[in-house]
């Protein structure tokens, strides 16, 4: 619905994924402290919304999406909208960008249980990484 475009909430997209709520996109982008000279790696392209925001802040954005449907659609969308400094790569986020590093900034849009060492290794000196860290499963609600 058109009214959903103005809601500050996550919205469903293809492949059972969601687009983050606008506040989260803005907050994570702010925490990344991107400068115009930076190369940014984004893990989790989704619709391409976060990559589009980052592209206006950074010199280059490499965005990795594991779902081909989402990656191809985001690439087409970003190209059609003239976001020429974004490269969407389809593949495993921890592997697909390994030969493209180092990166000044790394953003991971999905939670990880721990900080992946491979991503730490892809950070340039004085690099910054933003990712949600915590258990994938919430606390158990079963009782004995």
């Amino acid at each position: 619905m058109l009214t959903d475009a103005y809601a500050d909430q996550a919205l469903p997209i293809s492949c059972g994924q969601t687009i983050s709520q606008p506040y989260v996109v803005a907050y994570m982008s702010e925490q990344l402290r991107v400068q115009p000279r930076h190369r940014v790696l984004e893990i989790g392209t989704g619709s391409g919304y976060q990559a589009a925001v980052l592209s206006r802040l950074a010199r280059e954005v490499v965005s990795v999406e594991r779902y081909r449907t989402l990656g191809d659609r985001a690439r087409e969308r970003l190209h059609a909208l003239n976001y020429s400094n974004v490269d969407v790569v389809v593949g495993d986020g921890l592997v697909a960008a390994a030969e493209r590093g180092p990166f000044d900034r790394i953003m991971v849009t999905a939670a990880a249980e721990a900080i992946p060492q491979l991503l730490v290794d892809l950070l340039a000196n004085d690099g910054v990484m933003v990712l949600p860290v915590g258990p994938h499963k919430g606390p158990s609600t079963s009782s004995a």
Side-chain angles (χ1 to χ4, degrees):
M1 291 186 72
L2 183 58
T3 57
D4 289 341
Y6 298 97
D8 190 27
Q9 64 188 27
L11 296 172
I13 58 176
S14 299
C15 302
Q17 302 298 299
T18 60
I19 181 175
S20 297
Q21 68 189 78
Y23 174 81
V24 170
V25 171
Y27 182 76
M28 289 180 72
S29 298
E30 178 183 46
Q31 296 306 304
L32 207 55
R33 298 189 318 267
V34 177
Q35 298 295 316
R37 69 181 184 281
H38 288 155
R39 292 183 70 237
V40 178
L41 171 63
E42 177 198 25
I43 306 294
T45 309
S47 69
Y49 175 49
Q50 179 77 68
V53 170
L54 292 171
S55 79
R56 294 306 183 229
L57 304 171
R59 174 173 53 97
E60 177 187 4
V61 177
V62 176
S63 186
V64 181
E65 175 55 56
R66 66 180 172 165
Y67 294 106
R68 180 162 302 282
T69 300
L70 291 176
D72 290 347
R73 286 182 186 165
R75 184 183 303 109
E76 291 168 8
R77 182 178 300 115
L78 291 164
H79 177 74
L81 295 170
N82 295 315
Y83 288 91
S84 60
N85 64 335
V86 179
D87 185 16
V88 177
V89 179
V90 175
D92 181 312
L94 298 178
V95 176
E99 73 260 6
R100 308 279 300 264
F103 294 93
D104 302 296
R105 301 292 187 261
I106 297 176
M107 176 181 290
V108 182
T109 60
E113 291 189 2
I115 299 172
Q117 185 61 44
L118 180 60
L119 291 181
V120 173
D121 294 344
L122 286 174
L123 272 176
N125 291 337
D126 298 322
V128 174
M129 182 182 335
V130 173
L131 75 154
V133 177
H136 285 188
K137 295 182 180 179
S140 174
T141 58
S142 62
S143 57

